[in-house]
Amino acid sequence: MTATSLEQDLASLAESCDACRLCKLGSSRSQVVVSRGNPQARLMVIGEGPGAQEDEQGQPFVGRSGQLLDRMLESVGIDSNHDAYVCNIVKCRPPENRKPTALEMASCKPWLDRQIALVDPAVILLAGATAVEGLLGIKGGMTKIRGQWRQWEGRWLMPVFHPSYLLRNPSKERGAPKWLTWQDLQDVQRRLAQLDASL
Ligand code: SF4
Ligand code: URA
Ligand code: URA
């Protein structure tokens, strides 16, 4: 797809999301949060849903979790705005930052499907249990599934702990969640480098 038609399609998707009231999150949000970053990147990052900062600024992962995510990605040479396209399972903030319901996730899924189809990422980083549940329908057990590559619809998926979980578990000791996530992100960087080499 040419850059211009990709941009047009994404702009029209953003407009549709802005007008969307398919679930009740549409009436409590202050604004819809569709994406940030580079739609031509080969890496897509999918989180759970907007928090307060995101709802205010209209961009995903810009609050404390997002800052941690950005720093961790940077430490493996990935610039989240240049080397990734960042989005969420649900585009509107759940009140009190509660987890989106199964119905809300299902209502919003066509928008995510469209984003994946347009951006066509080779690698998807799934940040947290809700991202895994929202995309794959697999529930719980991040400790077991994180760090393991999955192949899905011709793409590589890497589930990792959510950055908000890492904010609550800040130890960087070997074997701690943050250390494990850093290993996972290094793995993602290696995968992207391999894909680059084979282009
Ligand atoms: Fe529409 Fe998704 Fe917002 Fe629900 S969360 S109103 S489905 S854009
Ligand atoms: N947490 C998420 O999962 N997504 C955001 O955009 C912000 C915080
Ligand atoms: N539990 C979760 O729900 N998410 C994580 O990322 C880690 C533990």
Side-chain angles (χ1 to χ4, degrees), residues 115-181:
Q115 287 175 302
I116 295 172
L118 288 171
V119 172
D120 192 21
V123 178
I124 300 180
L125 185 70
L126 290 171
T130 304
V132 173
E133 185 182 338
L135 188 71
L136 304 176
I138 298 169
K139 274 200 190 189
M142 280 312 283
T143 308
K144 271 203 188 127
I145 68 172
R146 62 133 278 281
Q148 297 190 37
W149 286 111
R150 281 164 191 268
Q151 281 205 285
W152 174 82
E153 301 195 352
R155 309 176 200 283
W156 290 102
L157 299 187
M158 173 59 83
V160 295
F161 289 128
H162 193 281
S164 67
Y165 178 75
L166 303 180
L167 286 170
R168 299 193 298 274
N169 294 273
S171 166
K172 289 182 180 169
E173 257 174 64
R174 191 180 179 87
K178 215 167 180 173
W179 182 86
L180 292 169
T181 305

Side-chain angles (χ1 to χ4, degrees), residues 70-84:
D70 277 4
R71 283 200 303 278
M72 291 187 80
L73 286 170
E74 231 173 77
S75 78
V76 299
I78 298 172
D79 172 337
S80 70
N81 281 317
H82 183 267
D83 306 318

